[in-house]
Amino acid sequence: MDHSTPEALERIRQQFESAPYPRIPLDKSPKDEKTLDSFYTDSLVTPYYLRHQRVIDTAGITILDAGCGSGYKCLSLAEANPGAKIVGVDISAESVKMARQRLDHHNIPNAEFHTLLIEDLPQLGMKFDYINCDEVLYLLPDPLAGLQALKSVLKPHGIIRGNLHSSLQRSTYYRAQNVFRLMGFLDDAPGEMEVEAVREIMGAIDDQVDLKAKTWPKQFDSADHGSEAIMMNHLLLGDKGYTIPEMFQMLEQTELEFISMLRWRQWELTTLFKNPDDLPAFLAFNLPELPTELQLHLFELLHPVHRLLDFWCGHPDQGSPFVPLNAWTVEEWGTALIHLHPLLCKPAIRDELVKCISEHTAFNFSRYFTLPSITPITVESTIAAGLLPLWDGPQSIDTLVNHWLQIRPTDPLTLKPISQTQAFQHVKDLLTKLEVFLFLLIEQPG
């Protein structure tokens, strides 16, 4: 099927008119999820710090959810960015109606919605600090035109979150779509009748057949499970896949600058080796010098496990130099301001830390954010106690050092008093460890 024709776009619109996505009940909230992962990536604080090494106040910013669907992401963006105005647009009027109902239900007043093509965004006459375009670009007839439209309404220091389907990871689903396209199921916007036909056909195929083994969980056999997943995978109109080089080419053609992958720690090439600290000589010498694009491409060729090529980008040459903490001078540390990631600044999380301290158990930071780390990030309770002042607000390192000296005035091995210099080093090491995962955000004044 030619994805670029107006007829193809209309079929995509019809699919989401009949089945707004995602099919999440209006009363469900992302606050009910077990972790803060969705908020972590939906908060402008996260990519803004990655680009500028500064902490942004989200009060008063304007956020666009381009392709907002039924509005669950709009709700998450509103909760993750306190004080922000949310603007949602979608090609489907039925989806927009549901999104508006969802935010009204959750008492989010500062939001507005429009039935609009992404390519027509300039008609709104608005500029945005953050643009979320999640699970949309790979469906557009012309993703380049879509990205260009997003760029045209982005403020100079604004950030875009976009993503593309991985052609490598989703290759079997594209085969499935071709199977059902040959059967005529994608000639028009598919509905429940086509979903049930797919369920019947896949159920009849032998379990050892490659396509079924790779795309058909057993629970899909039941009419009570999997209908939305079937629609969004086996019967998804307009679905196209891309590689990392194609993603970077698209950014170059639209003159947008790559900032980071959303799950950047999960794209680190060295994690694919048995012993990352003892790589073969050729790799140890060459990997650190490889451009980011090439490192990411090697990762997807070796281990195509990510369904989405999920990235942040922005206008070129607008980022600030990001200086690793291990390169900071003592004077720079002395003037720094240390923040908890705003999403961690909750009384319930502080109470959990206090409980760990009283029970002498390790405090697990990655219990709240699982995305930025490969393995759990825990801190021994008496050491984590040194961070308690951060729940009262941002602190200087001197404040944290003085607090540390009250908690650990003597060396547990020598029983000699710990000097100011020693305490400074202990606190600096702890802050550096946690900043890597953005549990802590550390900025220079000005």
Side-chain angles (χ1 to χ4, degrees), residues 211-440:
L211 186 67
K212 183 173 183 179
K214 293 179 178 177
T215 71
W216 196 257
K218 184 65 176 175
Q219 62 265 30
F220 282 14
D221 289 336
S222 169
D224 296 329
H225 298 88
S227 293
E228 184 175 54
I230 294 168
M231 189 76 80
M232 293 299 105
N233 289 289
H234 301 75
L235 296 174
L236 185 56
L237 288 171
D239 190 10
K240 301 177 290 296
Y242 299 84
T243 63
I244 287 290
E246 289 170 331
M247 182 191 89
F248 272 84
Q249 183 181 38
M250 195 177 296
L251 293 175
E252 182 180 354
Q253 289 174 328
T254 50
E255 297 183 340
L256 285 164
E257 182 177 272
F258 175 78
I259 298 173
S260 170
M261 304 301 280
L262 259 73
R263 301 169 182 260
W264 68 96
R265 298 282 298 180
Q266 297 176 26
W267 280 88
E268 290 185 1
L269 194 54
T270 55
T271 64
L272 302 183
F273 294 88
K274 295 176 182 178
N275 188 350
D277 296 324
D278 187 24
L279 296 175
F282 177 83
L283 295 176
F285 182 77
N286 288 286
L287 281 186
E289 306 302 321
L290 291 180
T292 299
E293 176 184 346
L294 187 50
Q295 290 197 38
L296 294 172
H297 186 38
L298 283 172
F299 188 105
E300 73 170 348
L301 289 173
L302 288 168
H303 195 47
V305 294
H306 299 300
R307 176 179 67 87
L308 287 174
L309 309 181
D310 215 343
F311 59 90
W312 283 302
C313 64
H315 290 292
D317 304 318
Q318 295 295 320
S320 305
F322 196 107
V323 181
L325 299 187
N326 57 17
W328 281 21
T329 64
V330 172
E331 289 74 20
E332 287 172 321
W333 274 104
T335 59
L337 199 59
I338 296 97
H339 305 249
L340 277 175
H341 194 293
L343 294 173
L344 293 174
C345 294
K346 300 179 185 300
I349 297 178
R350 185 187 186 279
D351 291 345
E352 185 64 30
L353 173 56
V354 170
K355 180 181 178 183
C356 289
I357 295 168
S358 63
E359 296 178 356
H360 305 288
T361 57
F363 184 70
N364 183 3
F365 275 92
S366 46
R367 169 182 175 181
Y368 306 100
F369 298 152
T370 65
L371 292 181
S373 59
I374 306 298
T375 57
I377 305 301
T378 60
V379 178
E380 193 268 317
S381 58
T382 57
I383 294 176
L387 301 174
L388 274 172
L390 293 174
W391 269 268
D392 297 326
Q395 305 291 336
S396 69
I397 193 168
D398 287 342
T399 299
L400 296 180
V401 167
N402 291 332
H403 186 72
W404 178 278
L405 285 169
Q406 294 180 56
I407 297 170
R408 289 198 163 193
T410 59
D411 187 305
L413 293 178
T414 66
L415 299 182
K416 293 181 179 179
I418 291 179
S419 69
Q420 192 88 9
T421 301
Q422 289 174 309
F424 179 90
Q425 187 62 47
H426 286 311
V427 171
K428 188 180 78 167
D429 289 346
L430 176 60
L431 299 180
T432 301
K433 171 186 175 180
L434 295 176
E435 188 267 353
V436 169
F437 307 101
L438 271 60
F439 299 132
L440 302 183

Side-chain angles (χ1 to χ4, degrees), residues 135 138-139 164-177 215 229-236 239-242 304-308:
E135 308 272 10
Y138 57 78
L139 297 176
L164 300 163
H165 262 159
S166 165
S167 59
L168 296 175
Q169 194 274 343
R170 278 180 65 80
S171 60
T172 50
Y173 284 107
Y174 293 127
R175 283 166 46 203
Q177 290 170 17
T215 71
I230 294 168
M231 189 76 80
M232 293 299 105
N233 289 289
H234 301 75
L235 296 174
L236 185 56
D239 190 10
K240 301 177 290 296
Y242 299 84
V305 294
H306 299 300
R307 176 179 67 87
L308 287 174

Side-chain angles (χ1 to χ4, degrees), residues 1-12 139-142 181 186 237-238 240:
M1 180 174 65
D2 183 357
H3 300 293
S4 65
T5 65
E7 293 80 9
L9 185 62
E10 175 59 19
R11 284 193 288 269
I12 294 170
L139 297 176
L140 296 182
D142 185 354
R181 185 173 292 112
L186 279 75
L237 288 171
K240 301 177 290 296

